Amino acid sequence: LCCTLIGAMAAEGKLVAVIGDEDTVTGFLLAGVGHRTADKSNFLVVKSDTPLSVVEHSFNDFTNRDDIGIVLINQHVANDIRHLLKSYSKTIPTVLEMPSKDQPYDPQQDYIMQRVSAMLNTET
């Protein structure tokens, strides 16, 4: 699903933004996802000393840019800005949570999985 969405967004000229730990962001940059201009980029490396306000600002920036179609975010980072994710309702850019190398994925914390479960009236 993720690869299909990325391919579709690339065909439309949309970028993929990444918010995550250093390993995750580096992996996506090595895969060619990175884009940087003089005044902005499509990625944020979140370290233990990164202020929450920086993460919130980047999320708001990425989700309000016309050139971004998908925002990938490590789930442990998403948990820190869950209040923003719960109020986010746009289809594009699509926000997808993913695991990191050091943190397992928990579908019960993923807001997309929560919405799907609510729509299907099932438990994840």
Side-chain angles (χ1 to χ4, degrees):
L1 175 67
C2 185
C3 292
T4 304
L5 285 172
I6 290 172
M9 292 298 147
E12 292 182 24
K14 301 263 187 190
L15 299 172
V16 175
V18 182
I19 301 173
D21 59 34
E22 190 169 18
D23 290 337
T24 300
V25 174
T26 299
F28 277 97
L29 293 179
L30 289 171
V33 168
H35 185 279
R36 172 174 265 168
T37 62
D39 60 337
K40 62 183 175 180
S41 69
N42 67 329
F43 57 90
L44 173 69
V45 175
V46 179
K47 298 181 179 183
S48 60
D49 61 346
T50 304
L52 184 59
S53 61
V54 171
V55 179
E56 292 172 335
H57 178 268
S58 292
F59 177 80
N60 288 328
D61 177 49
F62 294 158
T63 56
N64 285 303
R65 284 175 44 183
D66 293 331
D67 63 336
I68 293 182
I70 298 173
V71 177
L72 299 175
I73 184 168
N74 281 135
Q75 190 174 58
H76 71 278
V77 177
N79 288 337
D80 294 338
I81 60 165
R82 188 67 57 200
H83 58 283
L84 295 177
L85 290 170
K86 285 189 177 188
S87 64
Y88 184 75
S89 61
K90 293 184 201 174
T91 304
I92 297 182
T94 300
V95 178
L96 298 173
E97 295 181 29
M98 61 185 169
S100 68
K101 184 173 94 173
D102 298 324
Q103 302 284 332
Y105 174 75
D106 181 1
Q108 293 182 347
Q109 293 180 2
D110 188 333
Y111 85 108
I112 289 180
M113 293 302 293
Q114 291 172 358
R115 288 181 181 181
V116 168
S117 293
M119 288 173 42
L120 298 175
N121 199 21
T122 62
E123 300 239 352
T124 55

